[in-house]
Every structure is written in C-alpha cells, then in structure tokens.
Amino acid sequence: MAQTLLTAGLVLYGVWLVLAYQWHFVDGANLLFHEAGHVFFGVFGTTIGILGGTLGQLVFPVASLVHFLLRRSVVEAAAAAVWLGENLMNVALYVADARARVLPRVGGEIHDWHWLLSRSGLLEHDAGVARGFHALGALVVVAGVVAAVVATGSRRRRASQAATGAGL
C-alpha cells in the first residue's frame, strides 16, 4: 500500500516537474547539498570546486539511487531517480541564468555557471546548455516514474497471483 501511494505521488509530481517545473520546497534542501559540494570538491582545485556545487546536488540523489538499487527497492530507487531529475532541472535554471546573473547567490558573488561557461567559451550557449540539462532531467524523471509504475504493477500482480494460487 505504501509503495502504491509513493508511486501515485511520483506520477503526480513527475507530471508537474516535466510540464511546469519551477523552484519549490525541495530545492531548499538541494541548495544545502549544492553548497556542501563546493566545500567537498573545492579541495580538487578552483574549477572542480565551482563545479562542485552542481556535483554536490547531483551526488546525493545518485547515492540514494544506488543504495536503493542495491537493496532491490525499485520504487524507492525510482523516487531517488525523480529527485535526480528534479535536480537536473534545477541546474538548468541556474545555467540559463549564466549571462543575466539575476538569480540570488548564497555563497558569494561568483555565479558558478557564468564562471564555468565563460572559461570554456560557451557563455553565449547558456540557453542551449540549460535546455540540455532540462531535457536530461525530464528524461530521468519520466524514467523514474515509469520504473515506479512498472514495479508497483508487478508487485500487485504477484500478490494477486499468490492470493489466487493460495485459494485453490
């Protein structure tokens, strides 16, 4: 029952993410992982330290995904995949802001993606890079939702078959 409710929630949340993503409550927690990423990855140099914010906010959902997959908890892994996709969409908003730099920054005056895209000569392509992050995020969200629906359906079919078999 709990997994069915989680799956239903993932379906609704996934549809909202893909069709109408905007900053919301989960992004506050993601910001903590982003800022921690600067600290942890900063020991590897300036570029990795600046990229570390994005890496930080992606590492935690990936670690959760791997954890649940190793436990064969497919619906929970699917929820982690949706979280990963949501983070990729959040990164897309930050990348899209690289030239304008109007989004508020927490850790200082450096805009991570302005700095990264400027150094790589891609600043004028910020919108295209952002669309790529958003598309990848949407794909990951859809994959997570589909995995949850399939796993929940399979579990319900097995339970139904077991109940039918037990009644014979």
Side-chain angles (χ1 to χ4, degrees):
M1 178 66 165
Q3 289 190 331
T4 301
L5 290 173
L6 176 57
T7 298
L10 288 175
V11 168
L12 295 173
Y13 187 54
V15 167
W16 178 77
L17 285 173
V18 171
L19 298 179
Y21 175 79
Q22 293 179 348
W23 191 93
H24 62 294
F25 70 96
V26 176
D27 291 321
N30 294 335
L31 178 60
L32 294 173
F33 295 125
H34 177 97
E35 293 305 322
H38 287 303
V39 174
F40 290 118
F41 289 102
V43 299
F44 298 108
T46 303
T47 301
I48 297 299
I50 291 174
L51 184 59
T54 295
L55 294 174
Q57 77 182 83
L58 299 177
V59 162
F60 287 97
V62 168
S64 297
L65 176 65
V66 169
H67 168 77
F68 288 121
L69 285 175
L70 291 173
R71 294 184 61 204
R72 299 178 196 262
S73 300
V74 178
V75 175
E76 291 83 354
V82 171
W83 181 27
L84 174 61
E86 186 276 334
N87 266 287
L88 289 163
M89 291 176 171
N90 178 266
V91 170
L93 291 177
Y94 197 20
V95 173
D97 184 59
R99 279 185 283 179
R101 293 183 280 174
V102 296
L103 289 176
R105 288 176 294 286
V106 174
E109 291 304 311
I110 294 176
H111 186 295
D112 301 353
W113 283 97
H114 181 272
W115 192 93
L116 291 163
L117 294 175
S118 292
R119 298 295 184 282
S120 61
L122 296 173
L123 185 58
E124 65 275 3
H125 301 289
D126 60 346
V129 174
R131 281 192 300 275
F133 270 107
H134 185 84
L136 179 60
L139 182 64
V140 171
V141 166
V142 168
V145 169
V146 167
V149 168
V150 168
T152 300
S154 294
R155 178 172 291 195
R156 292 183 79 174
R157 278 190 299 281
R158 285 192 307 272
S160 177
Q161 289 170 349
T164 304
L168 294 177

